[in-house]
């Protein structure tokens, strides 16, 4: 069972997902990666969410960036949105994720920042995993050097 499910809206978002995957691997966090557009493949998005036992979702999308909101509307689990710089320097995607209606929360990280999305997912998982919490404390200590 993956702890994190990463969904990209487009195959072109893979480099951003790779940043998240690298961090998750570094911490020993299991994950799955899929490409499924909220607009072009809504049924696939639905089935991925329904079938997933992941504890946290990372949704990566550019342009209208509907994917994180769609995922959040279909689950009670935390959703982290990663806006992609596809047009308008990524501001369109960033604002789309940050301006969701009440009751559909998406934690949003910086534009193209898959690394921070993974770290936020790890922080969420570490709330109930002492070993992961220890690794995270050590990581944060090492950043101060």
């Amino acid at each position: 069972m993956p702890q994190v499910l990463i969904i990209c809206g487009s195959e072109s978002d893979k480099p951003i997902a790779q940043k998240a995957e690298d961090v998750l691997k570094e911490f020993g966090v299991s994950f799955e990666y899929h490409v499924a557009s909220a607009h072009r493949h809504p049924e696939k998005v639905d089935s991925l969410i329904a079938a997933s036992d992941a504890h946290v979702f990372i949704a990566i999308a550019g342009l209208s960036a509907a994917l994180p909101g769609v995922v959040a509307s279909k689950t009670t689990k935390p959703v982290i949105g990663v806006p992609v710089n596809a047009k308008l320097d990524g501001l369109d995607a960033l604002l789309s994720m940050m301006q969701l209606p009440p009751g559909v929360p998406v934690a949003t990280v910086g534009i193209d920042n898959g690394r921070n999305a993974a770290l936020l997912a790890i922080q969420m998982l570490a709330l109930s995993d002492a070993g992961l919490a220890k690794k995270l404390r050590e990581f944060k200590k090492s950043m101060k050097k």
Side-chain angles (χ1 to χ4, degrees), residues 27-88:
F27 279 84
V29 172
S30 61
F31 64 89
E32 276 185 18
Y33 165 80
H34 295 276
V35 175
S37 166
H39 298 110
R40 294 182 298 270
H41 310 108
E43 298 85 10
K44 183 176 179 182
V45 172
D46 289 350
S47 66
L48 286 170
I49 296 164
S52 181
D53 290 328
H55 299 293
V56 181
F57 293 91
I58 295 176
I60 302 170
L63 303 173
S64 70
L67 183 61
V70 169
V71 173
S73 75
K74 298 178 182 298
T75 185
T76 57
K77 297 174 183 178
V79 177
I80 302 167
V82 183
V84 175
N85 181 3
K87 299 277 184 188
L88 304 176

Side-chain angles (χ1 to χ4, degrees), residues 11 23 41 49 63 69 90 106 111 125 131 141:
E11 191 62 48
V23 172
H41 310 108
I49 296 164
L63 303 173
V106 171
I111 297 165
L125 295 168
K141 265 188 197 175

